[in-house]
Amino acid sequence: MSRRRLLGAATRGSTALLVSGGVAAVLGGCSLLPASYRFRMRVDANASTGSVSGSTVCEVTAFKVARVLSEERAGGGGLRGEALVLDLPGRRVFVLLTISGEGFDLEPAVTRALSGGKRPANVDEYVAAVRSLGSWFGSAKADLPRVDWPLMVAFRDARDARSMERVNPAEIGVRRISLETTNDAITTGIDEKLPWLQAAEKFRYNGTPAGELYPLPAWDFRSGTK
């Protein structure tokens, strides 16, 4: 399941606002040359046994189109990757692909942090930032600001999505989330840790509200890697 959005120039809170959520295809217009880069996200935490860390590699894509519906200029893109797994003593925490408390996707915040904190004013600037980070000279490192930290969750039973609990980063000792561009392969294998994930990705409405089965969308855990 891929998670693509149409990009709008508006912003809200700490993250560029992405409109027309869900799996979106460009209707009309001409897609221009896409841009992309990969990044490694690392979470460091202080645990009872000492320092603990985990990391994941994801890929950001972005592109412009000449025209979408009534808009003069717009674009799209998304994130390919999986949630970060942080193995703490007696507890496994998943650092998701969406920002805590805001419901926004992670990739605009990551792009902004790796670009020196500059907020893109429009689609053109956002795509240019993605292209710059993916260039031969696009090596970059940054810490993700606390306001943009992803949502973190744990499960009482990893086989049951309904046993999910939200996790407060302060309570598990998270002290830093760092980012760096990379050419490494995108992380895979999360469904081995969450046996229900494949069923959630294939879920189609059957009379049971999705929220009763899966508290969060499957693409918050894995996006575009299959």
Side-chain angles (χ1 to χ4, degrees):
M1 180 180 294
S2 78
R3 182 178 59 166
R4 291 185 176 272
R5 300 288 193 269
L6 298 182
L7 300 177
T11 60
R12 175 185 174 191
S14 62
T15 307
L17 177 61
L18 305 180
V19 297
S20 297
V23 178
V26 174
L27 304 178
C30 178
S31 177
L32 305 180
L33 186 65
S36 67
Y37 72 90
R38 292 183 183 180
F39 69 92
R40 180 180 301 279
M41 181 170 67
R42 172 176 168 141
V43 173
D44 294 304
N46 294 323
S48 59
T49 56
S51 181
V52 176
S53 65
S55 69
T56 188
V57 173
C58 300
E59 182 177 72
V60 173
T61 61
F63 60 87
K64 297 185 294 184
V65 293
R67 185 177 178 83
V68 175
L69 302 179
S70 62
E71 297 180 40
E72 182 178 354
R73 183 177 287 272
L79 183 71
R80 294 178 60 215
E82 295 185 348
L84 183 153
V85 179
L86 186 64
D87 282 317
L88 299 169
R91 194 179 199 189
R92 174 171 282 166
V93 173
F94 295 86
V95 182
L96 305 189
L97 305 178
T98 189
I99 293 177
S100 177
E102 295 289 347
F104 293 138
D105 294 338
L106 183 61
E107 58 268 27
V110 170
T111 299
R112 183 169 63 252
L114 288 170
S115 300
K118 180 181 178 182
R119 185 188 302 277
N122 50 46
V123 172
D124 288 338
E125 289 190 6
Y126 181 74
V127 175
V130 171
R131 180 166 287 111
S132 177
L133 290 168
S135 71
W136 287 105
F137 305 101
S139 177
K141 294 182 179 181
D143 283 350
L144 191 63
R146 177 64 182 85
V147 69
D148 290 331
W149 281 11
L151 179 64
M152 302 182 192
V153 302
F155 296 87
R156 296 186 300 276
D157 181 351
R159 297 167 297 181
D160 183 1
R162 292 169 295 183
S163 70
M164 187 192 80
E165 301 173 327
R166 297 200 177 197
V167 174
N168 183 334
E171 293 179 356
I172 59 172
V174 176
R175 65 177 188 274
R176 181 188 184 196
I177 298 182
S178 57
L179 309 165
E180 64 176 325
T181 53
T182 182
N183 292 318
D184 291 348
I186 296 172
T187 300
T188 60
I190 194 172
D191 51 357
E192 297 175 5
K193 300 175 177 65
L194 297 175
W196 52 267
L197 184 57
Q198 289 192 34
E201 290 172 331
K202 297 175 182 178
F203 176 80
R204 295 293 182 270
Y205 181 71
N206 59 4
T208 303
E212 292 185 10
L213 299 174
Y214 310 110
L216 290 174
W219 57 75
D220 282 355
F221 294 85
R222 173 166 60 189
S223 178
T225 61
K226 297 181 69 178

